[in-house]
DNA sequence: GTCTATAGCGCGATAGAC
DNA sequence: GTCTATCGCGCTATAGAC
C-alpha cells in the first residue's frame, strides 16, 4: 500500500485501465478511489496523457522485474517459459477474471492515445518479444522445447496468444480457467513431440 | 454502398469501432460520417447499446458468411485453415493496419458494454471456436495438420493468437506484415513435422 | 425520417485561495 | 498539495416541428 498520493493515483488508474480501459476511466473515478478532489490530480499529472505514459512505463518496469525473477529462476527452458506464461495467468486469476493486461487494453485503445503513450506501449511489446525469443531459444538449446521454423516468429505467436487469450477469455464464463487452458496448450505446441 | 441510412450508420459505426473503439465513438462522429444530424440517429437506434448490439450481430453474420465460403472452398484442412486465417489478415491489410477485428476491440471494452452486447460478443467467439475446432479436426483427419493434445484447446489458442496478433501488430510498424507473419507461424505450429 | 433546440450530465483542465 | 469554483466542451438522449 503506497503512502504517497502519486502512487495511489497510478494504482487506481492501472486498476481502472485494466478493467474498463483508458477511455472509460475519468479523473472523477480516480479522485473517488484515492480520496482527493479531481482537480488535485492535475498537480501530479497535468494531463491524462501524462498519467497514461507514466502508467505504461511503471507497468513495463514492474513487469520486467517479475520477468527477471522468472529468468533467474531454476529449471529448463520449458519450466521457465511456463513461469513466464504464469505471469499473465496471474492477472486474470487475481482479479476474478476482470482484468486484462494493462498494455493489452491500451493496445486496443492505441488510436486514442498520445504519441508518447503509444511509443511506450510499443517498447513494452518489443521487450516482451525479446524475452520470449530468448526463452524459446534457450528451451530449444536444452531440448525442453521444439520450435518449427523461425523462433522470433514463434515468440510473436506466443505473445499474441497471451494478450488475445486474456481478451477472449474475459468475454465468457470462468475467464481465469479458460486462459489457463490456452497457456497450457500454448506450451504443448512448443513441446517436443514423441 | 448501402442506400438506406440504417446500413450507412452501421457501416460508419463499425469502421469507428474497429479503429478507435466503442467508447471513443460518438453520435456526432456517426452523424458527420453519414451526413445527417446526430439526433436523427436515435430514430434508427434509440440508444448506443442498441446500435452496438445490432452491430455485433451483423458483423457476426457477415463474418460467418465468409467462413462458409472458406469451409465450402476446396483444399485439405491445412489449406482451409489458412483461408480462415486470411479472413483476419484481410482486416489489417485492407485498412493499412488501422483496424482491429470489431469483436476484438469490443472484447477489450466488454466491461463498459450492456449485457445484450456482451452476450452477442460471447456468441461470436463461441461460433468461431466451433469453426476452428472443426477445421483443425478435419485437417488432422486428412493428415494435413498435426495437433498435440486437445483439439478444442488448440482452437482456443489459434483464436487467441488471431485476436491478440492484430492488437499487438497495430502498436508497431507495418502491422499487416507483422500479423501475416503471426498467422503464417501459427499455421506452421499445427503442421505435421517431418 | 429528418430536422432544430435543448436538457442534463460528465469530461479534462485552469485559476486562485489556503 | 489540496481545496473550491468554474470554464467550455462533448456526450447521450428527448421533445416537438416539419
Amino acid at each position: 500500500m503506497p503512502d504517497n498520493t502519486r502512487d495511489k493515483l497510478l494504482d487506481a488508474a492501472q486498476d481502472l485501465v485494466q478493467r474498463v480501459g483508458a477511455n472509460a476511466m475519468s479523473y472523477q473515478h480516480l479522485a473517488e478511489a484515492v480520496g482527493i478532489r479531481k482537480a488535485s490530480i492535475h498537480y501530479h499529472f497535468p494531463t491524462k496523457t501524462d498519467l497514461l505514459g507514466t502508467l505504461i512505463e511503471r507497468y513495463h518496469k514492474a513487469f520486467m522485474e517479475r520477468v527477471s525473477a522468472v529468468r533467474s529462476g531454476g529449471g529448463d527452458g520449458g519450466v521457465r517459459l511456463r513461469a513466464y506464461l504464469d505471469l499473465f495467468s496471474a492477472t486474470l486469476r487475481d482479479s476474478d477474471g476482470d482484468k486484462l493486461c494493462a498494455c493489452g487494453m491500451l493496445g486496443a485503445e492505441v488510436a486514442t492515445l498520445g504519441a508518447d503513450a503509444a511509443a511506450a506501449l510499443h517498447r513494452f511489446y518489443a521487450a516482451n518479444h525479446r524475452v520470449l525469443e530468448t526463452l524459446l531459444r534457450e528451451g530449444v538449446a536444452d531440448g525442453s522445447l521444439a520450435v518449427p521454423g523461425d523462433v522470433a516468429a514463434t515468440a510473436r505467436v506466443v505473445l499474441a496468444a497471451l494478450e488475445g487469450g486474456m481478451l477472449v477469455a474475459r468475454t465468457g464464463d470462468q475467464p481465469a480457467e479458460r486462459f489457463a487452458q490456452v497457456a497450457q496448450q500454448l506450451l504443448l505446441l512448443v513441446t517436443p513431440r514423441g
Side-chain angles (χ1 to χ4, degrees), chain A:
Chain A
M1 192 82 103
D3 59 334
N4 62 321
T5 302
R6 183 186 162 91
D7 286 344
K8 280 186 194 167
L9 283 168
L10 287 169
D11 286 349
Q14 184 177 317
D15 186 89
L16 282 164
V17 163
Q18 293 186 253
R19 290 181 200 276
V20 302
N23 288 328
M25 175 199 79
S26 73
Y27 274 41
Q28 187 58 52
H29 295 137
L30 292 178
E32 283 160 16
V34 170
I36 59 175
R37 299 301 199 149
K38 68 171 180 167
S40 309
I41 300 172
H42 291 277
Y43 170 78
H44 301 279
F45 304 100
T47 69
K48 199 173 173 179
T49 293
D50 293 326
L51 193 160
L52 289 174
T54 306
L55 177 58
I56 296 169
E57 273 161 27
R58 192 186 73 146
Y59 188 85
H60 184 158
K61 194 177 163 209
F63 197 85
M64 284 307 152
E65 278 167 17
R66 272 174 280 160
V67 167
S68 287
V70 165
R71 297 211 50 201
S72 63
D76 59 23
V79 167
R80 288 190 293 171
L81 177 58
R82 171 183 286 275
Y84 176 84
L85 303 186
D86 279 344
L87 296 180
F88 287 80
S89 305
T91 298
L92 270 176
R93 202 175 47 235
D94 297 347
S95 65
D96 272 327
D98 274 356
K99 284 189 189 177
L100 232 51
C101 166
C103 290
M105 182 66 83
L106 293 170
E109 297 180 302
V110 69
T112 67
L113 264 34
D116 287 1
L121 252 192
H122 185 222
R123 286 193 295 276
F124 175 84
Y125 284 122
N128 276 280
H129 177 250
R130 283 192 297 272
V131 166
L132 261 170
E133 189 178 341
T134 301
L135 285 174
L136 289 173
R137 228 176 269 288
E138 290 168 350
V140 169
D142 69 26
S144 60
L145 299 177
V147 173
D150 189 17
V151 174
T154 305
R156 290 192 196 285
V157 168
V158 173
L159 192 52
L162 291 170
E163 294 292 351
M166 299 182 79
L167 190 148
V168 174
R170 224 172 51 128
T171 67
D173 293 337
Q174 301 190 299
E177 290 77 2
R178 276 274 194 265
F179 180 79
Q181 189 188 20
V182 168
Q184 167 69 25
Q185 186 66 20
L186 202 46
L187 199 62
L188 197 56
L189 285 169
V190 292
T191 296
R193 308 186 187 177

